[in-house]
Amino acid sequence: MESTSLVFLSIVYLVLVVVHGASETESLLKFKNSLVIGRENGLKSWHRRNPTCKWIGVLCDRGFVWGLQLENFELSGYLDIEALTGLKSLRSLSFMNNKLGGPFPEFKKLVALKSLYLSNNQFDVKIPKDAFDGMGWLKKLHLEHNKFRGEIPASLANSPKLLELRLDGNRFTGQIPEFTHKPHMLNLSNNALAGPIPKILSTMDPKFFEGNNGLCEKPLDTKCSSPYSLSPEPKDNSKKKSSMFLYIVAAVVAALAVILIIIGVIIFLNHRRKKKQSLLTAEPGPSSLQLRAGIQESEKGQSSYHSQNRAAKRMIHTTKLSFLRDDKGKFELQDLLKASAEILGSGCFGASYKTLLSNGSLMVVKRFKHMNNAGTEEFQEHMKRLGRLNHENLLPIVAYYYKKEEKLFVSDFVGKGSLAAHLHGHKSLGQPSLDWPTRFNIVKGVGQGLLYLHKNLPSLMAPHGHLKSSNVLLNENFEPLLMDYGLIPMINEESAQELMVAYKSPEYLKQSRVTKKTDVWGLGVLILEILTGKIPESFPQNSKDSEEDLASWVKSSFRGEWTPELFDQEMGKTNNCEAEILKLLRIGLSCCEVDVEKRLDIREAVEKMEDLIKEREQGDDDFYSTYASEADGGSSRGVSSEAINLS
Ligand SMILES: *[C@@H]1O[C@H](CO)[C@@H](O)[C@H](O)[C@H]1NC(C)=O
């Protein structure tokens, strides 16, 4: 019975997908007809012979189109939004970096749209006041670097879910409209806006209002002069009576709310007590290195065994892992728990466990506390974005588990552990420390991973956000793999400020802002750490008066020449490589520039490291002749492993 209805349902679903798919294909082809494609062979794959989801720039989820990402295609012509209304699952559109212009397209026909990117195009028009009316789901709107004119449309300021708004680098004029709520990010810089900045925006970073000349009031330092009425506070007398009535209603509602809260707290506390007994919540004592799943034997007392067992089973029943990659085969949380799990360590976000699947793969499960900044849908969307990343220096997330009270990430186990362990704990690992060529190779890989993140997560201010040596893993060949990237949108703001590396940057400590160069500062600190062997956290932190951190210590100790005391003695012999090491040190220091304007950007930092390799390959003759006499083997420029003093 059940199985036949299941088969029936699957057939219905299949038919739906096929029929719907065909209409999506037609919609997209119609849309394509309105475009003029400058890039040669740009949309060649958009052809009935190919399945729609394989077309370039078409983003699908379970066979339905949810996004179009047509960036850098030299597109012009007009956008046939009407045609796109045939795509019922469409949520995201990006036409960044093209040559689009003409009247503002009627995006509001796509009511369910969540993000829209039109940055770096050639729009040279006023946007109609009602252009965003009815777009209740719009979260991200990027219109920067066009030539939009006229006033900022009022419908935008009323958009209920707007989180990110970039209008910078246009020609908007007039006053900033009253926003109904404060977006997380709002960049209005380099326009021709004037008048008072609405109160609700007064706590935002002043940078976002720069380059407008006519703006005044907080967060800027300029006061408005008379013609502008300051922060309209509609204290109307005629409304007094009705407000009296409102007070009474409010008081009653408040009383009810208090009662509800008390009941809620009681339920919550009860729930917590129960949850404490659940498996993964049980924090391991320092002595027990093995966390065994309650399904097998428990090392805890007999009495708690049964309740644990029950809690575990209940959890498994309500549990599904969401997979971001399928190259590892499918497994369930159940499989991860069945295997004996070993605690790898507990980072600031929660513990990680190593576990062996029955198919022989070693996986790591990492718990994340502090992760309820985003709603379910937003979380899943962000995870999908992270799942699409693919770079040899990034640790891929294989699957994740999302429940309100528990969030887990599953990834591959990486053989050699973290860079931090190798730099600072190699003696207790019983291993030699890393030699210079290996250290340089690691830094280079980290730079490359970061550059990739910056290119592929352009909407995040600090696409990594949490770069430090304990978040860089080393594989069997000592190639670095970054982990814990892209977390900022998901971590509670409060915890993020307390825990994440981006929030320890000088620009955050001094000006409460995170910029595109904040990750570069993290890279700089990592370079200095790898060269000096000093632990960045061992310098006094967060103290605003004392400037002493690793970067300023290196800066004040570095006299522009080779000083062996400055560098990690464990690096072994450095024959002939002093010049290279000094060059990397200088790169590290430029990445740590306190003044963000002077700091390298990520591309420059990576290029400088690549230049170092090129110079090495061409042979730095001057330097070589000076130091050749001291070299052990004459021609060998790197440090061979025999050259390291292993004692
Ligand atoms: C804001 O816009 C300006 C001008 O385009 C740009 O330089 C700056 O990086 C932007 N800031 C953010 C946080 O996007």
Side-chain angles (χ1 to χ4, degrees):
M1 248 309 263
E2 220 170 89
S3 67
T4 49
S5 63
L6 206 70
V7 168
F8 177 70
L9 275 179
S10 337
I11 290 174
V12 169
Y13 180 72
L14 259 179
V15 168
L16 263 178
V17 169
V18 170
V19 170
H20 192 77
S23 76
E24 293 205 317
T25 307
E26 295 314 312
S27 299
L28 285 170
L29 286 176
K30 182 152 176 269
F31 175 70
K32 182 189 170 188
N33 280 338
S34 66
L35 298 172
V36 178
I37 302 148
R39 198 169 95 189
E40 217 174 316
N41 291 337
L43 300 186
K44 207 174 144 205
S45 59
W46 284 43
H47 198 285
R48 282 198 186 83
R49 275 195 306 263
N50 302 332
T52 317
C53 291
K54 291 261 159 70
W55 295 1
I56 192 167
V58 174
L59 309 174
C60 284
D61 181 27
R62 275 166 247 155
F64 295 108
V65 179
W66 68 266
L68 290 183
Q69 189 177 15
L70 301 178
E71 298 166 5
N72 303 302
F73 280 99
E74 297 176 31
L75 296 182
S76 51
Y78 85 107
L79 301 176
D80 184 354
I81 302 300
E82 189 62 47
L84 294 183
T85 55
L87 307 170
K88 295 300 176 214
S89 307
L90 190 65
R91 299 291 177 270
S92 173
L93 282 179
S94 176
F95 301 108
M96 288 201 286
N97 309 327
N98 283 297
K99 297 178 170 169
L100 293 166
F104 193 71
E106 287 204 79
F107 292 108
K108 67 174 172 179
K109 287 185 177 158
L110 307 170
V111 205
L113 209 60
K114 287 184 172 173
S115 42
L116 175 60
Y117 301 90
L118 296 178
S119 332
N120 296 310
N121 275 287
Q122 295 168 1
F123 285 102
D124 184 8
V125 288
K126 288 184 183 169
I127 303 179
K129 262 199 173 60
D130 59 355
F132 301 94
D133 266 352
M135 296 183 75
W137 297 97
L138 193 64
K139 288 189 177 158
K140 299 183 180 175
L141 180 66
H142 285 220
L143 302 182
E144 75 269 22
H145 303 297
N146 278 280
K147 292 174 190 155
F148 285 114
R149 292 176 275 132
E151 299 202 348
I152 297 175
S155 52
L156 201 51
N158 298 332
S159 195
K161 295 210 167 168
L162 198 65
L163 292 177
E164 242 180 69
L165 177 60
R166 285 197 60 178
L167 302 179
D168 48 288
N170 281 291
R171 298 174 184 166
F172 285 107
T173 50
Q175 293 193 35
I176 302 175
E178 285 292 335
F179 277 75
T180 46
H181 71 278
K182 187 178 121 186
H184 283 182
M185 204 269 261
L186 169 81
N187 196 342
L188 302 180
S189 60
N190 300 326
N191 278 290
L193 297 164
I197 295 172
K199 258 229 167 77
I200 195 168
L201 305 179
S202 65
T203 54
M204 301 205 78
D205 189 331
K207 278 248 156 185
F208 297 144
F209 302 96
E210 269 175 3
N212 276 296
N213 293 332
L215 287 176
C216 46
E217 292 300 323
K218 289 247 167 311
L220 298 179
D221 295 327
T222 43
K223 283 248 167 273
C224 288
S225 47
S226 49
Y228 296 112
S229 66
L230 264 183
S231 55
E233 275 163 45
K235 282 264 154 73
D236 218 52
N237 266 347
S238 64
K239 282 187 180 160
K240 265 209 164 142
K241 266 181 203 158
S242 66
S243 68
M244 188 67 198
F245 174 68
L246 279 180
Y247 278 133
I248 296 171
V249 171
V252 172
V253 169
L256 276 176
V258 168
I259 294 170
L260 278 178
I261 286 171
I262 291 172
I263 294 174
V265 166
I266 292 170
I267 291 174
F268 175 75
L269 286 177
N270 250 330
H271 185 70
R272 262 215 354 192
R273 224 185 38 227
K274 279 195 198 135
K275 223 178 61 179
K276 277 244 167 76
Q277 297 162 356
S278 127
L279 245 181
L280 284 156
T281 344
E283 288 292 352
S287 61
S288 80
L289 265 176
Q290 299 275 318
L291 174 94
R292 297 214 183 274
I295 308 163
Q296 295 190 328
E297 283 156 279
S298 164
E299 288 174 359
K300 303 250 159 108
Q302 282 287 335
S303 58
S304 71
Y305 170 66
H306 288 291
S307 66
Q308 271 195 28
N309 198 352
R310 247 178 287 125
K313 277 196 178 141
R314 195 171 52 232
M315 183 156 174
I316 286 160
H317 273 303
T318 57
T319 288
K320 265 251 172 277
L321 284 175
S322 310
F323 279 80
L324 293 170
R325 325 203 122 209
D326 35 32
D327 50 349
K328 289 288 152 195
K330 297 276 178 209
F331 48 88
E332 281 307 325
L333 191 57
Q334 193 171 354
D335 305 320
L336 293 174
L337 294 177
K338 257 183 201 156
S340 63
E342 181 187 331
I343 293 154
L344 288 175
S346 42
C348 47
F349 293 119
S352 325
Y353 310 90
K354 176 170 116 185
T355 162
L356 181 67
L357 289 177
S358 51
N359 68 9
S361 357
L362 273 172
M363 308 301 286
V364 172
V365 183
K366 187 162 184 178
R367 289 185 66 198
F368 281 89
K369 303 178 212 159
H370 315 298
M371 231 190 216
N372 32 28
N373 209 32
T376 317
E377 220 178 307
E378 210 177 315
F379 185 93
Q380 276 162 351
E381 202 178 300
H382 188 67
M383 288 310 293
K384 275 190 207 141
R385 213 177 329 155
L386 296 186
R388 279 197 298 275
L389 300 175
N390 184 4
H391 188 269
E392 55 187 3
N393 295 116
L394 294 183
L395 178 70
I397 303 168
V398 176
Y400 67 93
Y401 171 72
Y402 179 93
K403 269 279 149 66
K404 210 177 186 122
E405 65 280 7
E406 185 77 82
K407 281 144 201 104
L408 306 171
F409 285 17
V410 183
S411 53
D412 290 338
F413 177 72
V414 180
K416 293 267 185 231
S418 77
L419 172 60
H422 280 272
L423 285 179
H424 312 301
H426 66 95
K427 286 206 177 109
S428 53
L429 287 177
Q431 285 181 356
S433 186
L434 305 167
D435 61 8
W436 159 247
T438 310
R439 288 185 194 215
F440 179 66
N441 192 51
I442 291 171
V443 170
K444 196 190 74 190
V446 170
Q448 242 121 30
L450 273 187
L451 180 60
Y452 177 86
L453 283 174
H454 276 249
K455 278 187 191 153
N456 288 278
L457 296 174
S459 62
L460 297 192
M461 270 314 228
H464 193 296
H466 201 41
L467 181 63
K468 53 179 184 171
S469 58
S470 55
N471 281 341
V472 176
L473 300 178
L474 301 177
N475 71 9
E476 294 301 329
N477 304 320
F478 289 98
E479 294 291 339
L481 289 161
L482 303 180
M483 63 172 202
D484 284 2
Y485 46 82
L487 296 179
I488 284 190
M490 300 188 284
I491 305 286
N492 309 348
E493 222 164 313
E494 215 173 283
S495 315
Q497 284 170 13
E498 191 185 323
L499 302 170
M500 295 190 74
V501 172
Y503 294 94
K504 313 274 185 228
S505 63
E507 55 271 32
Y508 192 82
L509 293 182
K510 296 210 171 75
Q511 298 152 20
S512 299
R513 68 192 188 113
V514 169
T515 77
K516 283 275 178 207
K517 288 184 178 176
T518 301
D519 274 340
V520 179
W521 173 79
L523 174 65
V525 174
L526 191 90
I527 292 177
L528 300 182
E529 178 181 355
I530 232 179
L531 290 178
T532 63
K534 296 265 187 293
I535 303 174
E537 288 86 6
S538 67
F539 289 83
Q541 275 185 315
N542 284 356
S543 44
K544 286 192 183 155
D545 352 295
S546 119
E547 287 281 288
E548 187 82 324
D549 57 13
L550 176 57
S552 54
W553 177 78
V554 171
K555 210 170 178 181
S556 61
S557 323
F558 178 49
R559 295 189 298 273
E561 59 194 25
W562 180 251
T563 34
E565 317 82 71
L566 193 56
F567 296 93
D568 189 1
Q569 302 302 310
E570 307 289 329
M571 198 155 33
K573 292 190 183 174
T574 51
N575 308 355
N576 278 333
C577 295
E578 289 83 354
E580 266 182 32
I581 297 177
L582 286 180
K583 278 182 192 157
L584 185 64
L585 184 77
R586 290 204 174 90
I587 298 175
L589 284 172
S590 321
C591 291
C592 286
E593 254 308 328
V594 173
D595 183 349
V596 178
E597 304 298 324
K598 286 195 205 145
R599 192 182 297 163
L600 299 179
D601 66 30
I602 182 64
R603 184 178 302 276
E604 288 167 332
V606 170
E607 273 167 11
K608 279 194 189 292
M609 287 192 253
E610 279 166 356
D611 288 348
L612 240 169
I613 299 168
K614 274 186 219 142
E615 281 168 30
R616 176 194 292 178
E617 278 160 4
Q618 287 160 6
D620 190 338
D621 290 335
D622 291 352
F623 185 78
Y624 183 64
S625 57
T626 321
Y627 282 81
S629 54
E630 287 177 26
D632 284 1
S635 67
S636 106
R637 311 225 38 219
V639 181
S640 65
S641 53
E642 295 90 74
I644 300 173
N645 189 354
L646 290 182
S647 69

